[in-house]
Each structure stands twice: as structure tokens, then as C-alpha cells.
Amino acid sequence: MQEGRVPLISTAVIVQAIVFLLMTSYGNMAVLPFSGRTICVVALWVYAFSMVDYTYTREIRHAIKMAIVYTVIWAAIETGMEYLLNWLLEMGFPTVVGVWYGIQNLLCLGSVLAINNYFAEDAKAIKKSVIAVLVMGVVVYSFAVHYVIENVPSTVPSTIFEHVKTTVDQQDIMLKRIAAIFYGVEGFLISFSLERQ
């Protein structure tokens, strides 16, 4: 990989993570339920996937085409996963469900990076030290998700103005923020590792 290529990917990952954080979104591309937020998340993934492909091919049309292909594939996978995750949630495995969303984002990025890196002429492996940091990150992330599920109340009453009361799912908000931070840090480490070789 030539010097100066990977910062496009690093930038895309950081932008994604920041927007997911601001939106309090898992970054999930599942089309159930479909909303304006889903469109924004899908657009961010198309952007990230296109940056990965463009980094390796330097062809805009090819990058856009492949980004759409990757997005459709992952949207289908994630939509199917929602059924499994709902079943796991009903079976009493909320930590597994919470951890999956962050790992799923990392798998989206990692799979596309792996495919492009595999077909590149100057393909490089990710450093073992980065893999160790990634594994440690997954462990820390898993503990953080478990802590939030066990200690943060699911719903918190909130007063808007004087007479309107609503409930805020504080646990869900915290889990989404943790997932966005985890994805941003780990995704950046992967792309940074490739950049430094």
C-alpha cells in the first residue's frame, strides 16, 4: 500500500464514529425499521466503503459501485441478524446483543479492508501488536457493555417543559455511545496499522 492512501479510510472511520456518537446510533444498516436515521447510517457506510475501495483502486466509479455492493450485502446480513438478536434478547442475553453491535461495525469495515487488501499488489498484513490491541479492545468493550446493562437503569423519567413527561432509555443511549467510540478507536487502529507499513 502506498504512503498517503489510508488516511482516507481513517478519516471515513472517524467521521462515521463521530456522527454515530452524535446521532446516538449503533451504526446498524438493518432496514427494519426504515427511517431517515437509517438512510443517514447507510449513506455513511457507502462513504466509508467507497473510501476503502478508492484507496486501493484509485477509480471513483469502481469505488462507488463496490461500495453499493458491500452496503447491500451488509444491510441484508444485518437485517437478518436483527431476528437472531431479538431472539437472544428474549432468551436473556442482553450483553451478547449489546456487544454484537460494535463488533458488527468492525466486521463491516474489516471485511471490506480484507477483500481490498487481499487483491492489492502491495498487500500487507496487520501488525500482530495491533491485533493484540484489537482483542484487548473487544474485552474492554464487552465489560463496558455488561457494566452498563447491569448498572444503568433502562428508562429514566424526563420532564420536557412543565407538563409534558416522557421516558428516556438511558441504557440504550449509553450502549450506542460506547459502540460508536469502540468502532472509532478499533477501526482507526486497523487503518493506521496498514498506513504505517
Side-chain angles (χ1 to χ4, degrees), residues 86-113:
N86 287 334
W87 178 75
L88 286 172
L89 205 54
E90 290 173 11
M91 294 296 290
F93 297 103
T95 300
V96 174
V97 175
V99 168
W100 171 254
Y101 283 113
I103 292 175
Q104 180 175 266
N105 288 345
L106 209 58
L107 287 174
C108 287
L109 176 69
S111 65
V112 175
L113 275 169

Side-chain angles (χ1 to χ4, degrees), residues 31-187:
V31 293
L32 304 171
F34 193 76
S35 65
R37 180 172 289 216
T38 306
I39 293 170
C40 182
V41 168
V42 168
L44 283 168
W45 279 110
V46 170
Y47 160 63
F49 291 154
S50 64
M51 289 299 101
V52 172
D53 193 84
Y54 180 74
T55 294
Y56 288 90
T57 64
R58 292 297 180 188
E59 295 178 20
I60 294 175
R61 286 185 179 179
H62 187 269
I64 293 170
K65 179 180 75 175
M66 291 310 297
I68 292 169
V69 169
Y70 293 135
T71 304
V72 169
I73 290 170
W74 271 104
I77 291 170
E78 292 182 19
T79 301
M81 278 300 301
E82 284 299 298
Y83 293 104
L84 176 61
L85 294 176
N86 287 334
W87 178 75
L88 286 172
L89 205 54
E90 290 173 11
M91 294 296 290
F93 297 103
T95 300
V96 174
V97 175
V99 168
W100 171 254
Y101 283 113
I103 292 175
Q104 180 175 266
N105 288 345
L106 209 58
L107 287 174
C108 287
L109 176 69
S111 65
V112 175
L113 275 169
I115 289 168
N116 282 274
N117 195 44
Y118 178 79
F119 289 107
E121 292 177 8
D122 52 352
K124 300 284 184 182
I126 296 175
K127 294 177 183 176
K128 290 179 182 176
S129 59
V130 174
I131 292 173
V133 172
L134 290 173
V135 171
M136 285 300 299
V138 170
V139 171
V140 171
Y141 171 63
S142 301
F143 277 114
V145 168
H146 182 70
Y147 178 83
V148 169
I149 288 172
E150 292 296 317
N151 296 292
V152 176
S154 183
T155 54
V156 177
S158 175
T159 304
I160 301 174
F161 304 115
E162 284 186 21
H163 304 290
V164 181
K165 288 192 176 181
T166 185
T167 55
V168 176
D169 194 339
Q170 194 64 36
Q171 191 178 89
D172 188 54
I173 290 170
M174 288 293 294
L175 289 174
K176 287 174 177 174
R177 287 177 179 165
I178 291 169
I181 293 167
F182 168 75
Y183 168 67
V185 171
E186 302 285 74

